[in-house]
Amino acid sequence: MAAAEATLGACLEALLGSRSHANRVFEILELLQAEEEEIVLSAIQTSGRLFGAFLERGELSVGPLPPEEEPLPDSHSAEEKYKIWMRHRYNSCVNCLVELMSHESFQIKEGSLCTLMTFVELEAKHPLVKSEWSFNFPQELLKLVVKGLISTEEDSSLLISRFQEYLEHDDVRFFAMKAVAENIGNVMQKTKEPLPVYQKNAFTFVSSISMPGKESEIKNFLVKHANQEEWKVSKLKEHRRAFERMWLGFLKHKLPSSLYKKVLVILHDSILPHMNEPTLMIDFLTVAYDIGGAISLLALNGLFVLILHHNLEYPDFYKKLYSLLDPSIFYVKYRARFFRLLDLFLSSSHLPSYLVAAFAKRLARLSLAAPPDALLLVIPFICNLLRRHPSCQVLVHRPDGPEEMSADPYAMEEEDPSESRALESSLWEIQCLDEFPTAGPDRAGGEKLIQALTTCLDRAGHIVSAWTSFPPPAGAGGGKLVQALTCLARSRHLEVT
């Protein structure tokens, strides 16, 4: 180790001191591929100092780089030939550092990343490629960095988190988004099947990008230019366009189920607000909504944003929403979020009575097999529906109805809420909920439920009223939950939490 450090120090001093020692650069490049971690780390540091100095001193060729295997014409001076030759060595160093970003040692990965980003900053200040514009940014070098971050073989989340400090620079973030979009297109077009490791890394990267909310916030640049405000990187619209293309490019390919859920969780508040045209997400959301299960529940958030703010028309939306009501909604991780959205979708006073009644009835039927904690969510929810839509209160108060019902006209298996005949039925299921077991742990759950409902009533300042003219199945009696429901339906709106 000591000998290697001595060699690196001597090489650096010789190379910076005289061009006659140019061949010693190979010693540094060779040590970048050493087996000992400490030697590689020292070689990374030395190469960063060497080529950083060369970039600042203008000792690398600027402009198109001729292939190394082709002889240079005699018209080139010795200095030009030297700069071209050293530029090839610089490219070799960059490629080696990109490879080291997949090293088993995180310290080596981190060192390589930081050195490459130092080169990005220096190349922006001292460009190696002539541009027609006055604004320069080493996009090709950044593309290599992004390629190293989004590995196809191993989890890169820790290295991507280390990259976050660079994404705070508006110009780095802008060109990184463009690089990611291009990288995803190049990798995913080669396969029709999901690439779980690669797509997970890509999601980690794209989801870590924090977008500015206003154009005045775009002022933190890695490289400062004269007339900065004229650079397209200073425009919020351009950032949103790059952000939009990046996400659309990522979502156009088939995703593993776990990633589908992660995308949908953040879609409504972290993606849609930062797109120039959020309606471009319609296809993705409608496909997700049609998948079923938890993915459909999560897709509701994004659809709600598009329906409310972007005039999305979704045929048979409520029919599909109705079909999502099955026993699994009481056990999914996103239960509370689903009920909040369901509450919003059913809040309009313009909805037909048969539709609201169908939702109330289906939830009541499902509550018969729901866990006690879910009932604390469902019963207030049903009461909110009845309070907002007085025409549906015939489900609990039908003065001219029969004293007994021989059969329930409601068709639970009917997929179309308009054909379910819910408005002809009653919420007798709520009455059944009062008949909890008298022993065992379930009894404690039932008592806890009744106690919680009573607390809600006490806080609202209402007195439990008598249950009248409710047509349950023959032989059913009244109970605490029935009384609670009556009172809740007549009280103020209760929050669904």
Side-chain angles (χ1 to χ4, degrees):
M1 175 62 191
E5 287 189 347
T7 299
L8 288 168
C11 288
L12 179 63
E13 184 178 355
L15 285 162
L16 293 179
S18 172
R19 291 180 179 179
S20 62
H21 301 291
N23 281 331
R24 298 205 68 178
V25 71
F26 289 111
E27 297 179 51
I28 298 176
L29 296 177
E30 184 178 354
L31 290 175
L32 280 173
Q33 304 176 56
E35 294 183 1
E36 295 83 354
E37 181 178 335
E38 293 79 6
I39 294 177
V40 176
L41 287 171
S42 295
I44 291 172
Q45 188 177 39
T46 302
S47 62
R49 292 174 61 189
L50 175 66
F51 289 106
F54 282 171
L55 282 164
E56 290 178 330
R57 286 160 45 169
E59 296 206 22
L60 302 180
S61 173
V62 177
L65 188 64
E68 190 170 13
E69 60 274 8
E70 293 184 6
L72 295 174
D74 295 335
S75 58
H76 282 67
S77 66
E79 181 175 357
E80 289 174 330
K81 291 179 180 180
Y82 167 80
K83 289 184 176 182
I84 290 172
W85 183 86
M86 193 56 76
R87 171 92 175 272
H88 281 295
R89 305 290 75 75
Y90 170 68
N91 288 348
S92 297
C93 176
V94 167
N95 291 331
C96 191
L97 290 173
V98 172
E99 290 180 7
L100 288 175
M101 287 178 67
S102 60
H103 196 278
E104 59 184 14
S105 166
F106 180 74
Q107 282 186 300
I108 290 179
K109 292 178 180 179
E110 183 181 30
S112 300
L113 172 63
C114 293
T115 301
L116 286 168
M117 290 308 297
T118 299
F119 290 164
V120 167
E121 182 176 5
L122 289 172
E123 275 199 44
K125 295 177 180 177
H126 312 282
L128 298 178
V129 179
K130 294 181 179 179
S131 174
E132 297 179 1
W133 309 97
S134 58
F135 309 111
N136 294 286
F137 195 91
Q139 296 186 53
E140 295 304 316
L141 179 55
L142 187 61
K143 288 177 184 178
L144 292 176
V145 175
V146 168
K147 180 181 178 180
L149 287 170
I150 311 178
S151 172
T152 59
E153 299 177 357
E154 61 178 1
D155 185 353
S156 302
S157 56
L158 194 57
L159 192 60
I160 292 172
S161 67
R162 180 65 179 84
F163 188 67
Q164 292 304 297
E165 68 175 76
Y166 300 105
L167 289 176
E168 293 177 5
H169 298 285
D170 296 303
D171 46 358
V172 174
R173 180 179 60 246
F174 177 78
F175 289 110
M177 290 190 292
K178 297 184 71 173
V180 171
E182 181 178 324
N183 185 270
I184 291 173
N186 292 337
V187 173
M188 295 304 298
Q189 70 178 359
K190 299 176 183 177
T191 178
K192 294 183 179 180
E193 296 299 320
L195 299 175
V197 175
Y198 174 80
Q199 288 175 292
K200 181 181 178 183
N201 287 330
F203 174 76
T204 301
F205 192 106
V206 299
S207 63
S208 68
I209 292 176
S210 179
M211 286 286 287
K214 298 180 293 184
E215 192 160 306
S216 59
E217 297 175 7
I218 304 176
K219 55 187 178 182
N220 182 22
F221 298 97
L222 183 68
V223 183
K224 301 294 190 296
H225 293 287
N227 301 321
Q228 190 84 42
E229 65 280 356
E230 297 179 8
W231 198 18
K232 69 177 181 179
V233 178
S234 302
K235 309 298 181 182
L236 179 61
K237 186 176 182 180
E238 295 295 333
H239 278 262
R240 288 187 169 181
R241 180 177 287 112
F243 181 82
E244 184 176 270
R245 289 176 178 173
M246 176 185 70
W247 272 107
L248 291 174
F250 176 72
L251 297 177
K252 70 183 288 187
H253 303 284
K254 184 178 180 181
L255 298 176
S257 177
S258 59
L259 277 187
Y260 239 125
K261 294 176 183 177
K262 289 180 179 180
V263 170
L264 291 169
V265 164
I266 66 171
L267 184 69
H268 67 290
D269 59 0
S270 298
I271 301 177
L272 292 179
H274 301 296
M275 297 179 67
N276 280 331
E277 298 182 57
T279 52
L280 292 174
M281 283 290 186
I282 289 176
D283 290 342
F284 172 76
L285 283 169
T286 51
V287 169
Y289 192 47
D290 290 335
I291 288 176
I295 290 178
S296 290
L297 300 185
L298 291 172
L300 277 175
N301 257 337
L303 284 173
F304 173 72
V305 172
L306 294 182
I307 290 172
L308 184 65
H309 300 294
H310 302 283
N311 301 317
L312 170 66
E313 293 185 6
Y314 188 98
D316 298 325
F317 174 78
Y318 283 97
K319 182 178 178 180
K320 177 63 180 178
L321 185 63
Y322 183 70
S323 71
L324 295 180
L325 300 182
D326 60 37
S328 68
I329 62 172
F330 298 125
Y331 302 95
V332 294
K333 179 181 178 181
Y334 314 102
R335 180 180 70 185
R337 174 182 294 201
F338 170 70
F339 273 94
R340 281 197 296 271
L341 287 170
L342 186 61
D343 189 57
L344 285 170
F345 282 126
L346 296 176
S347 61
S348 173
S349 59
H350 299 293
L351 293 176
S353 300
Y354 74 81
L355 182 67
V356 178
F359 277 89
K361 179 65 178 178
R362 193 174 184 93
L363 285 170
R365 181 67 60 85
L366 291 172
S367 68
L368 295 175
D373 63 323
L375 296 181
L376 291 171
L377 194 67
V378 173
I379 291 178
F381 186 92
I382 294 174
C383 296
N384 287 341
L385 293 181
L386 298 182
R387 184 181 181 279
R388 290 196 200 107
H389 306 274
S391 58
C392 292
Q393 291 187 10
V394 293
L395 295 174
V396 295
H397 187 75
R398 198 186 301 265
D400 300 327
E403 293 184 1
E404 295 182 356
M405 297 176 67
S406 58
D408 191 342
Y410 173 67
M412 179 71 174
E413 68 283 355
E414 176 58 55
E415 296 181 355
D416 188 346
S418 65
E419 302 294 332
S420 67
R421 300 179 64 191
L423 209 54
E424 302 173 29
S425 182
S426 66
L427 300 182
W428 59 265
E429 294 88 351
I430 302 298
Q431 196 163 267
C432 295
L433 294 177
D434 199 32
E435 300 174 5
F436 284 96
T438 57
D442 285 342
R443 180 181 180 184
E447 292 176 348
K448 179 181 178 182
L449 170 64
I450 294 174
Q451 182 180 8
L453 286 171
T454 303
T455 301
C456 287
L457 297 174
D458 291 340
R459 286 177 181 174
H462 293 282
I463 300 175
V464 175
S465 60
W467 187 265
T468 59
S469 303
F470 179 76
K480 295 178 183 177
L481 288 177
V482 172
Q483 296 171 355
L485 180 60
T486 305
C487 184
L488 285 167
R490 297 172 182 173
S491 70
R492 61 179 175 79
H493 177 85
L494 292 174
E495 293 294 331
V496 178
T497 60

